[in-house]
Amino acid sequence: MSRRRHGVGRTPFGSRKVGGLGDDRRTLWLVMGALMTCLLLSALDQTIVSTALPTIVGDLGGLEHISWVVTAYLLSSTVSVPLFGKISDIYGRKPMLQATIVIFLVGSVLAGLSQNMLMLILFRGIQGIGGGGLLAMTFTILGDLITPRERGKYTGYFTAVFASSSVIGPLAGGFFVDHLSWRWVFYINLPLGAICLLVTGLHLHVPKPAERRPLDIVGSVLLTIAVTCLLLMLTWGGHQYDWGSGVILTLGFVGVVTGVVFLVQAGRTPDPVLPLRMFREPVFTVCIAMGALLGAVVVGAAVFLPLYLQVVKGASATSSGLLLVPMMGAMVIGSNTAGRIINRTGRYKMFPIVGSGLAVAGVLALTALERSSSRNHVSFGMAILGLGIGSAMPVTTLAVQNVASQSDMGAATSAVNFFRSLGSAFGIAVFGTAMSTRLNSTLERLLPGTDLHHDKGLLNSPAAIRALPRVQYAAVAQGITDGVAMVFRVALPIVIAAWVASWFLKEVPLREDLEASASMVEGMEEAGMVYQPAVEPAPTRPDDLAGVPPVEANGNGHDHRTHHQDVRPHS
């Protein structure tokens, strides 16, 4: 039987083989396991800290800066995603993956050793740089190892890991705080990261870039400044500062102006950190828009539903994570089912359409939340939403990688994750404003003259809310319910926009090989959508293809794979 039917024949794992296909598949799964662990580490550190924060503040002090423990990681991880993606296109995937693992582990050690809140915030920023790099590298290397036709089912596994972090994080954080120390929230990364470093060092072999291109330093700095200012504006607006305050307006102004200057710089630079030529490809543009819109909705649900469950339904912080299982479990089912069908049929367009349609239905169900709503109602809405997101979201990465040239694979893949993160940050800001506005209006209606809505410490503590006198608790619980329902009413047009965008996604036949530049949509090179070096380098063939003859040209002078025919040898 042909090895390529299993997605292994074209995976670059070097030339060492002991037992043929069996050893190749074991090597493949070793590397996949290491990549999924890297992804888990990156995603987990956004959730595992939440349940440990009260204990950390009790030990280190600095209550007024507690939000920065989360914000520092969010900022640095978001900014680093496109940078590492582009750098890997220039210097290679393996060095960048191992560098990001080391940065992440160094940040974890230093965060665990922190003696005050300032040190912890600084080291969380370092940790976030590595975490963003891990997110960029795992999905990019997946694109290097597995052909687009085979990649769907593996993407399902990666989605399962990413979704599970929302459940595992609060549980693990609570366990370490109760039985060990909050410092183990960071130390646990060390053995897992060391294993990833060892496995990828021994078994991950991907071709190095054929040409060393200059890195756009100026563009990287401009992008970092623009994204940092905009994320701080979205994070602080309506919380630390009013939306009309000088700080927020200044951040917004600097972010927008720097972003415009970045676009000018990107247009003048032959090979910018975020190549604008990618936006001329309709598949890329549609997938970026869908990823940002769906990312906003799913993060909004993951943030505000636990608040409703804790305050209104009396769930603990740990168990509220478990109550998200219907959404995350359905997301896993949706992504794995879609991936396997895509692998079998080679068609993907139906899944964003059906998936985002299901997401619309799930959000619609959650707009009807009441204090009296049963947990079955909440679970049903979460499950439908998760099933839709899981069916649609992974396709955005798959479709972009399918049309991206090999020279832009890192930049294209990281751009999908980057804009998804920006969409999530935008969604949290918009939903948070809608939530607080509706909460305040409800409190003023039920408790005229109250100043409860000005007590940020109270409203950020479900346990303190449940300890209020009965009348006050009833008013706050009703306000939380109204606010969360309003969040989903605001999310409804956003998810509808994602569903509309899905209809414009062009279905390009999935490639059967890893040589993206040979299988691009016809005419893209002439249109300037692919980076073309002055001298075209010879294609790099992995060691395990040494005995495989190249594909012959057809009568028109084109490679058979340009027409997306199956060129794999058969049994």
Side-chain angles (χ1 to χ4, degrees):
M1 180 178 290
S2 167
R3 290 180 295 179
R4 295 180 196 182
R5 293 192 178 214
H6 299 276
V8 178
R10 292 244 180 211
T11 56
F13 290 115
S15 59
R16 183 189 296 181
K17 295 183 179 67
V18 180
L21 173 63
D23 291 292
D24 279 350
R25 288 181 63 81
R26 281 196 292 272
T27 303
L28 171 64
W29 282 110
L30 270 176
V31 173
M32 286 295 149
L35 292 177
M36 285 188 280
T37 303
C38 288
L39 180 62
L40 178 64
L41 291 176
S42 175
L44 200 61
D45 260 70
Q46 300 182 47
T47 59
I48 194 172
V49 176
S50 58
T51 51
L53 279 178
T55 305
I56 293 174
V57 171
D59 190 9
L60 301 182
L63 177 62
E64 65 277 14
H65 302 302
I66 187 173
S67 63
W68 271 103
V69 177
V70 177
T71 302
Y73 188 92
L74 172 66
L75 280 175
S76 57
S77 62
T78 302
V79 169
S80 65
V81 167
L83 300 182
F84 277 112
K86 186 61 182 180
I87 293 172
S88 74
D89 284 335
I90 299 174
Y91 295 98
R93 317 282 188 233
K94 183 174 178 178
M96 287 302 101
L97 174 64
Q98 296 197 299
T100 57
I101 293 175
V102 171
I103 294 171
F104 184 81
L105 294 184
V106 169
S108 298
V109 171
L110 294 176
L113 295 173
S114 298
Q115 299 302 308
N116 56 61
M117 186 61 72
L118 180 61
M119 292 175 65
L120 178 60
I121 291 169
L122 175 64
F123 298 144
R124 279 284 285 172
I126 296 174
Q127 194 184 27
I129 294 174
L134 291 176
L135 178 63
M137 289 299 95
T138 50
F139 284 101
T140 303
I141 292 175
L142 178 63
D144 288 334
L145 300 181
I146 308 296
T147 66
R149 180 65 181 266
E150 304 278 354
R151 199 174 300 152
K153 60 183 179 182
Y154 294 95
T155 303
Y157 302 141
F158 279 69
T159 302
V161 170
F162 196 83
S164 66
S165 66
S166 298
V167 178
I168 296 174
L171 293 175
F175 174 83
F176 291 132
V177 168
D178 292 341
H179 299 283
L180 295 171
S181 164
W182 64 263
R183 299 181 188 275
W184 275 95
V185 166
F186 305 108
Y187 292 155
I188 188 61
N189 297 326
L190 299 181
L192 297 176
I195 292 173
C196 294
L197 202 60
L198 177 64
V199 170
T200 55
L202 292 177
H203 298 290
L204 178 62
H205 303 287
V206 290
K208 296 181 180 179
E211 183 185 21
R212 184 66 56 85
R213 290 133 47 187
L215 178 64
D216 180 16
I217 301 295
V218 174
S220 300
V221 173
L222 290 172
L223 181 63
T224 300
I225 295 173
V227 172
T228 300
C229 289
L230 293 176
L231 284 178
L232 284 176
M233 181 192 73
L234 295 173
T235 303
W236 286 347
H239 299 285
Q240 276 87 350
Y241 303 95
D242 293 332
W243 283 107
S245 66
V247 172
I248 298 301
L249 294 177
T250 301
L251 287 171
F253 176 78
V254 173
V256 170
V257 171
T258 310
V260 171
V261 176
F262 165 76
L263 292 177
V264 174
Q265 167 70 12
R268 298 169 52 188
T269 305
D271 194 32
V273 64
L274 190 61
L276 300 184
R277 60 181 173 270
M278 297 189 301
F279 290 90
R280 295 199 291 267
E281 165 55 48
V283 170
F284 179 84
T285 305
V286 171
C287 288
I288 287 294
M290 287 184 56
L293 294 169
L294 293 176
V297 173
V298 71
V299 171
V303 168
F304 291 101
L305 279 175
L307 178 63
Y308 169 82
L309 293 170
Q310 291 179 51
V311 172
V312 180
K313 298 301 179 182
S316 65
T318 302
S319 63
S320 67
L322 289 176
L323 292 174
L324 287 178
V325 167
M327 184 170 72
M328 300 307 172
M331 192 181 298
V332 172
I333 293 172
S335 63
N336 278 279
T337 302
R340 292 183 179 279
I341 296 175
I342 291 171
N343 179 47
R344 188 169 63 249
T345 65
R347 306 186 69 89
Y348 60 79
K349 180 172 181 175
M350 62 174 287
F351 294 101
I353 294 175
V354 174
S356 53
L358 286 172
V360 171
V363 170
L364 191 61
L366 293 170
T367 61
L369 283 180
E370 299 285 350
R371 281 191 66 189
S372 59
S373 296
S374 66
R375 288 195 176 178
N376 288 336
H377 175 189
V378 181
S379 297
F380 174 78
M382 286 194 294
I384 298 300
L385 175 60
L387 187 64
I389 295 291
S391 301
M393 187 81 84
V395 174
T396 59
T397 302
L398 175 65
V400 165
Q401 289 182 332
N402 186 53
V403 300
S405 67
Q406 195 63 34
S407 61
D408 284 335
M409 182 66 74
T413 304
S414 60
V416 176
N417 292 317
F418 172 65
F419 282 100
R420 187 181 301 158
S421 297
L422 288 184
S424 300
F426 176 78
I428 291 297
V430 172
F431 298 149
T433 300
M435 168 79 189
S436 60
T437 301
R438 189 56 183 267
L439 172 61
N440 292 343
S441 65
T442 301
L443 288 179
E444 290 173 359
R445 175 171 54 86
L446 298 179
L447 295 175
T450 183
D451 59 352
L452 284 178
H453 57 281
H454 295 302
D455 190 345
K456 301 297 184 183
L458 171 66
L459 297 179
N460 288 329
S461 174
I465 293 174
R466 291 196 299 269
L468 288 171
R470 183 176 179 180
V471 174
Q472 290 185 336
Y473 166 73
V476 174
Q478 186 61 53
I480 295 291
T481 301
D482 293 346
V484 173
M486 179 56 68
V487 164
F488 288 103
R489 293 190 186 104
V490 173
L492 189 57
I494 296 177
V495 73
I496 289 176
W499 177 73
V500 172
S502 68
W503 287 92
F504 292 92
L505 178 61
K506 180 181 178 182
E507 185 163 48
V508 178
L510 292 175
R511 293 183 284 106
E512 303 278 356
D513 56 56
L514 292 172
E515 285 126 15
S517 59
S519 303
M520 291 290 288
V521 179
E522 203 167 308
M524 286 188 68
E525 291 86 350
E526 290 78 3
M529 297 181 193
V530 181
Y531 175 82
Q532 298 185 22
V535 179
E536 184 69 26
T540 303
R541 291 170 63 79
D543 296 337
D544 57 349
L545 293 180
V548 180
V551 178
E552 298 178 359
N554 61 22
N556 296 324
H558 292 295
D559 185 297
H560 283 294
R561 290 167 296 193
T562 304
H563 300 282
H564 309 285
Q565 295 177 0
D566 188 352
V567 298
R568 298 176 296 177
H570 300 286
S571 300

